Amino acid sequence: MAVDQASDISDASEETTRTPVTADDVQHAVRLALTALRAGLGADWDTRAGALEWTCWETVEHLADDLFAYAAQLGPESPALDGDVPFDWRTRRAGGPANITFADRAAGPGACS
């Protein structure tokens, strides 16, 4: 494993072994995401998300959609190994992300906090 001597940061891309992601890892990632998202509760979620072309709403929907897709892909006892689960992916606007799941925007960003 390469280590940047100036910052002591390792280059994980050169690691040859990896450990499986655990349920605790996923819960930790979700907690971190919720903490970051709660910081924007009073903001306008229809604006662009930083440098992205997507809005804040679209970015959060995409994050939720990714988690849903991983669960759907890995949930079956014998998951498909050669492709994605066949869902109907759609966009709400041209240039927006193709998702399966969408937020109920009328409920507002604080509905799940």
Side-chain angles (χ1 to χ4, degrees):
M1 169 187 344
V3 175
D4 179 344
Q5 297 301 321
S7 65
D8 288 331
I9 297 175
S10 65
D11 179 2
S13 65
E14 293 187 21
E15 288 189 34
T16 56
T17 60
R18 295 180 185 215
T19 58
V21 174
T22 67
D24 288 340
D25 294 329
V26 174
Q27 286 180 337
H28 182 68
V30 169
R31 282 190 202 105
L32 291 174
L34 287 173
T35 297
L37 294 170
R38 284 184 184 121
L41 284 179
D44 179 3
W45 284 45
D46 288 312
T47 61
R48 285 179 44 179
L52 298 177
E53 295 295 322
W54 299 342
T55 68
C56 295
W57 273 119
E58 290 170 332
T59 303
V60 168
E61 288 171 339
H62 185 69
L63 174 63
D65 193 74
D66 282 345
L67 294 172
F68 171 81
Y70 295 143
Q73 190 72 25
L74 298 173
E77 190 171 320
S78 298
L81 301 176
D82 59 352
D84 294 328
V85 177
F87 286 110
D88 186 12
W89 302 70
R90 296 175 186 250
T91 59
R92 283 191 163 168
R93 67 167 185 88
N99 290 332
I100 300 164
T101 59
F102 294 93
D104 177 3
R105 295 179 184 191
C112 294
S113 64

